[in-house]
């Protein structure tokens, strides 16, 4: 049975009539409704709201490693499985924090750190800023990361993702083959699990029911993921693989972020309605 702190949800209201919800469980954004009433974020109806679990859907924070790109044996790290603290909140923004004393640390992790996640609503936009500080006085801190956004889509076959043409990607649905994106629109046909490297500008998602533009700062790479039917059937907490596509702003492909003792890093994504 989850305690109250795991189930705590912070709700935000934007001046433009938009709203958002963030769980202390993983600092996971679980809803962004634009002023037109459209829900832009997908959460599985069978997601687990339990201490130590990650929420299937929303925007889990992958830290201190994306996938298995780091020293831990825990996919996507431990920030998404940890209960964060609410540090500050007002009507349209919230800051949540996590450090080594409050996190559910993965086996093998001993470095101290201070994380902040700020979520804020603006006109037709939602911004998430992840701030990382190395609180160790002598050792450097190394990490990979991603904001693992599950965008809700009305009709998966209508999905078109632009902004990736000509870029190289690791195709994790094809044993990590290195491929160059030829098309100007990526479509979701079967399992898609791609890590696009060094994406220079905005990525746009369009589907029959709407669209979103994703801008990134210090998160150079972009992951596109949908498991399709076969893989989805092995994910017990995923209700509907046709209801979403993940577009993940990441620092994952090249060298990890290296923070000197006392140094800080800021990564940000801004989603806006198209
Ligand atoms: O099931 P998890 O750990 O939440 O991961 C979901 C997916 O996350 C994506 O970021 C990865 O590229 C996929 O390989 C992975 O399957």
């Amino acid at each position: 049975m989850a305690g109250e702190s795991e189930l705590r949800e912070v709700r935000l209201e934007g001046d433009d009539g938009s709203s958002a919800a963030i769980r202390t469980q993983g600092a996971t954004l679980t809803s962004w409704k634009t002023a037109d009433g459209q829900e832009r974020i997908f959460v599985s109806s069978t997601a687990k709201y339990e201490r130590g679990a990650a929420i299937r859907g929303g925007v889990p924070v992958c830290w201190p490693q994306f996938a298995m790109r780091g020293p831990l044996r825990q996919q996507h790290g431990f920030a998404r499985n940890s209960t964060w603290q609410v540090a500050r909140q007002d009507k349209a923004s919230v800051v949540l924090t996590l450090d080594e004393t409050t996190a559910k640390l993965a086996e093998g992790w001993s470095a101290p750190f201070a994380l902040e996640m700020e979520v804020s609503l603006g006109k037709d936009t939602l911004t998430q800023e992840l701030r990382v500080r190395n609180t160790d006085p002598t050792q450097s801190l190394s990490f990979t990361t991603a904001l693992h956004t599950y965008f809700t889509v009305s009709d998966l076959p209508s999905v078109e993702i632009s902004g990736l043409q000509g870029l190289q990607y690791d195709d994790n649905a094809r044993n990590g083959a290195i491929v160059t994106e030829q098309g100007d629109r990526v479509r979701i046909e079967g399992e898609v699990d791609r890590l696009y490297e060094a994406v220079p500008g905005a990525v746009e998602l369009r589907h029959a029911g709407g669209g979103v533009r994703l801008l990134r700062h210090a998160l150079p790479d972009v992951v596109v993921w949908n498991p399709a039917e076969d893989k989805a059937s092995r994910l017990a907490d995923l209700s509907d693989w046709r209801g979403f596509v993940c577009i993940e702003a990441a620092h994952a492909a090249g060298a990890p972020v290296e923070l000197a003792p006392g140094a800080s890093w800021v990564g940000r994504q801004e989603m806006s309605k198209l």
Side-chain angles (χ1 to χ4, degrees):
M1 187 69 190
E4 197 183 326
S5 59
E6 280 70 53
L7 296 174
R8 183 163 174 208
E9 183 183 74
V10 175
R11 297 202 67 86
L12 305 181
E13 285 173 34
D15 290 339
D16 64 346
S18 63
S19 67
I22 300 98
R23 295 267 175 170
T24 51
Q25 188 187 346
T28 311
L29 176 79
T30 51
S31 171
W32 174 40
K33 271 191 193 158
T34 41
D36 55 12
Q38 266 201 55
E39 179 58 76
R40 306 285 170 163
I41 297 295
F42 170 90
V43 179
S44 171
S45 62
T46 49
K48 287 190 248 160
Y49 299 97
E50 290 170 6
R51 173 183 271 280
I55 296 172
R56 175 65 66 193
V59 186
V61 179
C62 303
W63 194 91
Q65 88 183 24
F66 170 76
M68 299 305 282
R69 290 171 183 258
L72 304 178
R73 277 181 294 163
Q74 184 180 30
Q75 157 116 329
H76 291 330
F78 54 79
R80 67 173 179 163
N81 305 62
S82 296
T83 303
W84 295 50
Q85 314 292 312
V86 177
R88 295 194 291 282
Q89 187 190 348
D90 62 24
K91 192 166 169 265
S93 72
V94 64
V95 177
L96 296 105
T97 58
L98 186 75
D99 64 26
E100 75 285 359
T101 67
T102 53
K104 185 184 187 308
L105 298 176
E107 197 187 318
W109 183 272
S110 56
F113 59 87
L115 298 187
E116 288 187 349
M117 165 59 79
E118 178 160 10
V119 182
S120 49
L121 285 171
K123 186 174 166 14
D124 290 332
T125 67
L126 183 144
T127 304
Q128 286 179 285
E129 185 165 293
L130 177 64
R131 302 190 273 263
V132 182
R133 190 156 52 87
N134 178 6
T135 53
D136 194 302
T138 56
Q139 306 286 317
S140 67
L141 176 71
S142 164
F143 63 87
T144 56
T145 187
L147 301 177
H148 193 308
T149 307
Y150 289 71
F151 287 108
T152 196
V153 297
S154 58
D155 174 44
L156 195 61
S158 73
V159 162
E160 292 185 343
I161 301 165
S162 59
L164 301 169
Q165 189 172 28
L167 301 175
Q168 187 168 293
Y169 63 89
D170 289 11
D171 192 345
N172 295 311
R174 313 269 178 287
N175 296 320
I178 306 295
V179 183
T180 300
E181 182 61 60
Q182 303 295 339
D184 64 343
R185 300 275 189 276
V186 173
R187 295 189 171 77
I188 308 299
E189 290 158 342
E191 182 190 353
V192 173
D193 189 353
R194 301 178 183 172
L195 171 56
Y196 290 88
E197 288 178 34
V199 178
V203 174
E204 294 185 350
L205 163 66
R206 288 187 171 75
H207 58 100
V212 175
R213 173 180 296 122
L214 186 65
L215 289 169
R216 296 155 294 112
H217 165 79
L219 294 166
D221 311 317
V222 171
V223 178
V224 178
W225 179 63
N226 181 282
E229 188 165 11
D230 184 43
K231 209 159 188 188
S233 68
R234 283 175 263 139
L235 298 172
D237 58 352
L238 179 58
S239 56
D240 178 15
W241 62 271
R242 292 183 182 83
F244 74 91
V245 62
C246 283
I247 303 180
E248 307 164 36
H251 182 120
V257 178
E258 282 290 335
L259 284 183
S264 297
W265 171 94
V266 176
R268 185 166 53 241
Q269 71 172 7
E270 182 187 292
M271 315 172 200
S272 44
K273 175 191 146 180
L274 279 178

